[in-house]
Amino acid sequence: MLEALALPFMQRALLAGVLVGAMASYLGVFVVQRRMSFLGSGLGHAALGGVALGLFLGYPPLYVAIPFTVAVALLIAWVRERTELGGDTAVGIFFSLSVAIGIVLLSLKTEYAADAFTYLFGSILAVGPADLWAVAGVALLTLASVPLWGRWAYATFDRDLARADRLPVLADDYLLAALVAAVVVSAVKVVGILLVAAFLVLPPASARLLARTFAGTTVLAIGLGVAGAVAGLFLAYLFDVPSGATVILVESGLFLAALLFSPKT
Amino acid sequence: MAVEEAIRLEDVHVRFGPYPALEAVNLTVPAGAFVAVIGPNGAGKSTLLKVLLGLIRPTRGRVRLFGRPLERVPPSWIGYVPQFKTLDRSFPALAIELVVSGLRRRWPGRLLPGERAAAREALARVRGEGLSEKSLARLSGGELQRVYLARALIRRPRLLLLDEPATGMDVLGEADMYRLLEAYRDETGATILMITHDWEAAYHHATRVLVLNRRVIGFGPPERALTDECLRRAFGHVGHEHTLAFHPERRDA
Ligand SMILES: Nc1ncnc2c1ncn2[C@@H]1O[C@H](COP(=O)(O)OP(=O)(O)OP(=O)(O)O)[C@@H](O)[C@H]1O
Ligand SMILES: [Mg+2]
C-alpha cells in the first residue's frame, strides 16, 4: 500500500484529500449547528452547473465552478434574508436552476460525459496540478477565516446576543456561505458532487456526539474529516472504485462508532 | 444636570409591519435607578429592551444611553439577560463557556486562567457555583437563569437589562436575586431595567416602575406608578384580590 505514496496522482489526491477533509469538517461544524445541511447538498449540485460551464467555456472547471457556486451561495443567503421564503426553499430553487444549466451545457457535447462522471463520484485520478492549486487557494482563505471562529460560534449559539455585542452577524452569514461554497466545490474532485454534502456533515455530526464543547467538536471534526479522507482515498486505490464512495463509507463507519460510544446514549 | 441620564427615549415608535408595538415612548431614567417594567403580554416590554440593545431599530424617535447614541455606547457597558432562552439545546457548551462569552464577546475556545476565575466568581455570586462544568443542555430553567445572569454581570455593566429574570427561579432564588441586584447597584451605581410580571417584586425592589402598554401609562416611584388607575389603563382591569396584597393605599385595609 505504501508504494501508492510514490505515485504522483496519489500524492496529489492525498494532499487535496487532507486539505478538503479539514476544511469541509471545520466549516461543516457551523453548517450542522446552524441546521444548514441542505445548503451543503444544494451547493454541491450547484457546483455541477459551474463545472459544466467551465467545461463548456474550455477553462479548468474548478476555476469557473468556484466563483459560480460562491455567487449561488450569496444569492441564496440574500433571498433568505430578504424574503420570508426560508433558506431551504431558496436552496431548492437555485440548486435546481444550476443543475438544469449543467445538464443543458453537458448534453451539448458528448465528450464531456467521462469528465462529468468523475465530478459526480470523485476519483483519485482526477486531481490535477491545477486542481491542487485551487484547493490550496481555498485552504488559505479558510485558514484566514479561523480567527473568526469565536465570532461565528457566538452568532451560531445566539444571534441576538452576538448582535447586541455588535458583531457583524449578517456580513458573517454571507462570508460563511461563500466559504462553504468554495470548499464544497474544491472537494468535488475527491468526493464527487453527489456525496459532497455528506462529506460536509458526517465528521461534525460524529464529533458532536462525542464532544462536550463547541471547540472540542471543531477539533475532533477536523481530525475525523482528515482521517476519513485519507482512509477513503487508500481504499479507492486498493479496490479501484470512485473515491467519493469510499470516503463516505469510512466516515459513515466512524459515525456509527461515535453513536455506539457516545456518552449520551 | 446633576444626575447623569442612563436612558433617554424621545418619541420612540416601533412598528412590525402595520402593527404598532411601541408608540410615542418618552422616557428618562437617571443613572443608578432600579426600574421595574410591567405591562400585559404583548405590551412591547421586550421590544423596548431590544430597542435599547440596538436589536430593533425604532421606526421613529431617538434613543440615547449615557448621553450617547447607541452606536457610540461600548457593548461592554450593557449586560443583557434575554427573556426566552432561545437556547439551542443541541449547542455543545458548558455553563462556564456561556459566562465567559459575556466577558469576551466571542464564543470562547480555550479558557484563560483569568477568565476561568472571573467566571467562577460570577457564578458564585448568583449561587451557581456548582454549575460551571455542567453542559448547558442539562441545566434546569432556574439554573439557566442564574448562568445567564452571571454572564450579564461578569462584564460589570453600567446598565443591566433583564427580561423576566425570575422566571423559573424558586422563591429563595428569587429573593437572592433581588438582594444580589440591589447589592450590585449599590456597589457600582449601575442602572437596572427589569421586566417582570410580579407587581409585588416591582413594588418592593424597584426605585421606579414603568407601566407600559404600547405607550407609557405611568412612570414614577412604585407607590405613584402602581395605582389602580394606571394598572387599569395598562391591563384593562385590576383584579382586586391581587392588588390588595401589596397595594400601598390598601396595605393596612
Ligand atoms: N420580530 C417581531 N416581528 C413581528 N412582531 C413582533 C416581533 N417582536 C414582537 N412583535 C410583536 O410586538 C408586540 C410586543 O411584543 P413584546 O415581545 O415586546 O411583548 P412583551 O411585552 O415582552 O410581552 P410578554 O409579556 O409576553 O413577554 C407583540 O404583539 C408581538 O407579537
Ligand atoms: Mg417579553
Side-chain angles (χ1 to χ4, degrees):
Chain A
M1 201 154 108
L2 282 178
E3 82 276 3
L5 287 174
L7 302 167
F9 74 83
M10 195 62 187
Q11 289 167 355
R12 285 196 301 271
L14 280 171
L15 193 52
V18 167
L19 288 175
V20 297
M23 293 190 285
S25 302
Y26 175 69
L27 295 176
V29 172
F30 296 102
V31 169
V32 167
Q33 199 60 48
R34 293 181 176 212
R35 299 190 167 63
M36 295 174 6
S37 299
F38 187 55
L39 178 71
S41 164
L43 291 177
H45 288 77
L48 179 69
V51 166
L53 192 63
L55 289 169
F56 185 76
L57 296 174
Y59 290 109
L62 285 195
Y63 288 71
V64 178
I66 289 175
F68 179 89
T69 311
V70 167
V72 171
L74 293 176
L75 258 173
I76 289 170
W78 186 74
V79 169
R80 186 176 49 200
E81 184 215 329
R82 287 308 174 88
T83 70
E84 309 265 299
L85 282 177
D88 52 348
T89 307
V91 171
I93 291 168
F94 287 107
F95 111 58
S96 319
L97 176 64
S98 308
V99 171
I101 292 172
I103 293 171
V104 169
L105 292 176
L106 286 175
S107 48
L108 288 179
K109 286 196 182 152
T110 44
E111 64 261 35
Y112 298 156
D115 273 336
F117 188 83
T118 66
Y119 283 101
L120 280 180
F121 302 114
S123 163
I124 48 172
L125 293 170
V127 183
D131 300 319
L132 201 53
W133 281 114
V135 169
V138 176
L140 270 180
L141 287 177
T142 308
L143 198 63
S145 81
V146 169
L148 303 184
W149 181 89
R151 232 161 79 174
W152 291 357
Y154 196 21
T156 302
F157 173 71
D158 188 320
R159 248 181 121 69
D160 273 355
L161 291 184
R163 282 181 58 217
D165 276 339
R166 298 245 197 82
L167 297 190
V169 170
L170 194 60
D172 280 355
D173 284 351
Y174 282 95
L175 197 55
L176 184 60
L179 211 49
V180 169
V183 167
V184 160
V185 181
S186 65
V188 297
K189 283 263 171 127
V190 175
V191 287
I193 285 164
L194 279 180
L195 293 174
V196 73
F199 189 59
L200 202 61
V201 165
L202 270 172
S206 311
R208 175 64 193 88
L209 289 173
L210 301 171
R212 292 183 71 214
T213 67
F214 198 68
T217 306
T218 307
V219 171
L220 190 56
I222 293 171
L224 292 172
V226 170
V230 170
L233 286 167
F234 272 114
L235 290 175
Y237 171 78
L238 279 179
F239 298 107
D240 192 22
V241 288
S243 50
T246 49
V247 169
I248 296 305
L249 282 173
V250 172
E251 289 186 348
S252 303
L254 292 171
F255 178 73
L256 288 177
L259 266 183
L260 289 177
F261 291 109
S262 165
K264 274 147 224 149
T265 49
Chain B
M1 189 172 72
V3 184
E4 196 194 1
E5 278 174 14
I7 301 172
R8 183 180 194 91
L9 299 177
E10 287 170 14
D11 192 35
V12 166
H13 293 245
V14 172
R15 289 178 163 275
F16 294 111
Y19 307 105
L22 290 176
E23 287 184 303
V25 173
N26 287 289
L27 183 71
T28 308
V29 175
F34 187 159
V35 182
V37 183
I38 68 167
N41 293 130
K45 304 182 298 296
S46 298
T47 302
L48 179 73
L49 234 64
K50 288 181 182 168
V51 165
L52 296 174
L53 285 161
L55 294 176
I56 294 175
R57 189 188 288 275
T59 20
R60 211 171 100 191
R62 215 162 72 116
V63 184
R64 296 193 145 242
L65 296 181
F66 303 103
R68 305 171 175 216
L70 286 188
E71 51 300 345
R72 292 204 40 249
V73 179
S76 59
W77 284 11
I78 304 177
Y80 172 45
V81 175
Q83 175 178 19
F84 294 110
K85 302 302 166 290
T86 41
L87 173 66
D88 174 2
R89 291 248 173 200
S90 79
F91 190 93
L94 305 177
I96 194 168
E97 293 182 299
L98 179 54
V99 178
V100 170
S101 78
L103 197 59
R104 217 191 259 197
R105 291 189 282 123
R106 300 283 186 277
W107 194 261
R110 197 186 296 276
L111 302 182
L112 306 173
E115 291 175 326
R116 203 173 268 285
R120 282 184 195 286
E121 196 216 300
L123 278 169
R125 250 189 290 167
V126 299
R127 299 272 159 98
E129 34 294 83
L131 303 177
S132 72
E133 300 304 314
K134 281 203 177 180
S135 288
L136 282 187
R138 306 249 171 120
L139 297 181
S140 74
E143 289 173 333
L144 201 56
Q145 285 288 8
R146 284 160 210 261
V147 173
Y148 269 94
L149 194 57
R151 176 190 180 278
L153 287 173
I154 195 174
R155 58 173 65 167
R156 302 193 71 72
R158 297 176 64 178
L159 175 62
L160 254 181
L161 301 175
L162 311 170
D163 203 338
E164 300 186 22
T167 315
M169 280 198 191
D170 56 44
V171 181
L172 274 180
E174 218 181 305
D176 277 347
M177 184 190 71
Y178 290 121
R179 208 167 307 133
L180 163 77
L181 291 177
E182 279 163 359
Y184 180 72
R185 189 175 69 101
D186 289 345
E187 178 196 334
T188 62
T191 312
I192 301 177
L193 197 88
M194 176 185 77
I195 298 174
T196 179
H197 286 291
D198 183 347
W199 300 354
E200 191 121 16
Y203 181 74
H204 287 295
H205 300 287
T207 61
R208 311 234 171 168
V209 173
L210 169 65
V211 184
L212 191 73
N213 193 358
R214 274 201 348 241
R215 298 168 170 273
V216 175
I217 307 291
F219 179 58
E223 60 278 7
R224 278 209 284 124
L226 287 169
T227 58
D228 277 1
E229 169 59 13
C230 270
L231 296 174
R232 189 175 297 110
R233 282 173 59 208
F235 290 86
H237 68 91
V238 179
H240 274 271
E241 55 286 4
H242 289 260
T243 53
L244 273 175
F246 78 95
H247 203 285
E249 283 102 16
R250 290 156 194 269
R251 185 148 275 244
D252 44 9

